[in-house]
Amino acid sequence: GRDAFEAIKRDNTAAYPALVKELEGLSAGSGVPLDTIWVSTLILELESLRSYPPGGADHCSDLYAVPEAGVSQGFAHGHNEDWPGPIRNFWYLVTYIPLPGANFEACAGVAYPGALIGWAASWNANGLYLTQNALFPIHNLPRGISSAFAQRAALCGAGEGPSGRRASATLDELLGAVTPSGAADAWSTGASLNLVSLGERRLANVEVLTDSYAVHELDGRKGGNWSHFNLFKLPPFRGHADERSSSVSSQHRQARVDALPPVRSATDVAARLSDTADEAFPIYRNMTLHTLILDGLSGTLRMWCCGRRAAFDEPQFTWHLPSFGLHATADWRGGGASLISESSH
């Protein structure tokens, strides 16, 4: 895998030099070798290049909800961040606040050690919000763009290099920034991105697979719902881009959601993301690091972590995304989360 690792590093260094400088800063500040920081950032791509099917193709759950009367009456998005193993004790909440002259814009989100924000649940000061479901394609590229770099640049901006851009301000800008235009900017692997634009009251799911992608946007004029787990779901890819047998959990979680009444509210989303009725393959699991539920009309984002479920417990964190505000509503200590605020050029 060394040749592929070096090729992916070269491609992302050429496209996102400002973000590579951030990796270099993480390495220097932590005393961790730079290649280890690269591995943390490229973990999705490197795992996808292992022998197929990959182990542990079993990660996050996402739900969208729109009332029958449409988004004018409200809308919601929910996300369970699932990852097994010791990582449950090592994740952070980071806010980036740019000083004058900075080459990025204000953004925030969940970060893992040595990795960039923008890869896990993240948002920016323009009211755009993003989460990711890991996908496990049969065919991957031993080169190409990393989702971590593309998503971070799309949300926060990266003002250097050929992919340099300001932070996205609309859903269309965000879609354009996270989707490849062809072979020249193909991703190394694939991912499912769940997108919300608070100001425009728009919700969309986009699946990326190397040099191609597909978009499903919910019709905000009438009630609707959507769910996504860890299998390709949109017509261009469904049934042939991955092997369903590689993620039995995704099949069970999808079947459980499909068997229940459609979600129409944040309360419905909380109930589904807390569901453990399928004892073998529940939606809420012991590897669920946290649950995030975004209320579209108020712009309120709530987080439950560390073993607490959204349907039964009070959230540990509440943000008002339009004002970029954070309020800790409960004692969250002991679950591995840390809150960090950074101001930087």
Side-chain angles (χ1 to χ4, degrees):
R2 169 61 65 174
D3 289 346
F5 179 48
E6 296 297 336
I8 297 172
K9 285 166 57 179
R10 284 194 301 271
D11 287 348
N12 287 279
T13 298
Y16 302 103
L19 299 184
V20 173
K21 289 180 181 178
E22 184 169 330
L23 299 190
E24 293 170 351
L26 287 170
S27 173
S30 64
V32 173
L34 181 57
D35 267 1
T36 301
I37 302 296
W38 270 106
V39 167
S40 296
T41 299
L42 302 179
I43 190 168
L44 182 64
E45 288 72 26
L46 297 176
E47 286 190 344
S48 295
L49 288 169
R50 296 185 304 176
S51 298
Y52 198 87
D58 195 17
H59 283 273
C60 305
S61 301
D62 277 75
L63 294 170
Y64 301 73
V66 178
E68 292 184 6
V71 294
S72 63
Q73 300 302 306
F75 58 98
H77 175 270
H79 175 81
N80 275 357
E81 183 81 354
D82 295 340
W83 201 342
I87 196 67
R88 71 181 299 111
N89 296 315
F90 300 99
W91 56 273
Y92 312 90
L93 299 167
V94 181
T95 300
Y96 279 10
I97 304 171
L99 296 177
N103 62 2
F104 64 93
E105 299 177 44
C107 58
V110 175
Y112 292 103
L116 302 170
I117 67 166
W119 180 42
S122 307
W123 56 95
N124 70 16
N126 298 322
L128 294 175
Y129 176 78
L130 176 153
T131 68
Q132 186 193 101
N133 304 95
L135 296 176
F136 301 90
I138 297 171
H139 301 293
N140 302 279
L141 301 178
R143 57 173 180 81
I145 298 301
S146 163
S147 62
F149 284 93
Q151 291 168 214
R152 166 60 182 279
L155 273 179
C156 309
E160 297 181 27
S163 297
R165 63 174 70 241
R166 303 303 294 173
S168 299
T170 66
L171 183 66
D172 288 338
E173 288 181 4
L174 185 58
L175 283 168
V178 297
T179 51
S181 57
D185 60 348
W187 287 25
S188 175
T189 184
S192 168
L193 308 181
N194 308 285
L195 313 177
V196 179
S197 175
L198 291 173
E200 299 171 291
R201 298 184 180 181
R202 294 173 65 189
L203 306 94
N205 173 236
V206 55
E207 291 179 349
V208 179
L209 177 59
T210 60
D211 62 353
S212 57
Y213 66 92
V215 177
H216 172 77
E217 182 171 355
L218 276 74
D219 187 345
R221 296 168 297 179
K222 56 185 179 181
N225 63 87
W226 184 255
S227 57
H228 207 290
F229 303 98
N230 305 115
L231 287 167
F232 282 97
K233 188 172 181 177
L234 297 180
F237 308 124
R238 184 179 60 225
H240 66 86
D242 53 23
E243 291 187 13
R244 294 181 62 82
S245 60
S246 70
S247 187
V248 177
S249 170
S250 282
Q251 295 182 60
H252 278 250
R253 284 178 283 150
Q254 185 70 70
R256 174 61 179 162
V257 166
D258 291 347
L260 295 170
V263 293
R264 298 298 190 197
S265 66
T267 300
D268 293 341
V269 170
R272 303 299 184 274
L273 293 179
S274 302
D275 189 88
T276 58
D278 186 331
E279 294 183 4
F281 300 99
I283 296 173
Y284 185 92
R285 296 173 277 181
N286 58 11
M287 68 176 193
T288 299
L289 306 186
H290 52 262
T291 297
L292 286 158
I293 298 180
L294 176 61
D295 180 272
L297 290 190
S298 69
T300 299
L301 177 66
R302 295 172 293 162
M303 173 185 274
W304 293 258
C305 79
C306 322
R308 300 181 186 180
R309 288 192 281 168
F312 307 106
D313 301 302
E314 291 297 314
Q316 282 95 328
F317 290 115
T318 301
W319 289 267
H320 182 240
L321 264 57
S323 65
F324 229 61
L326 166 67
H327 177 60
T329 54
D331 182 3
W332 51 270
R333 291 171 294 176
S338 296
L339 179 65
I340 302 172
S341 227
E342 296 192 3
S343 299
S344 173
H345 287 286

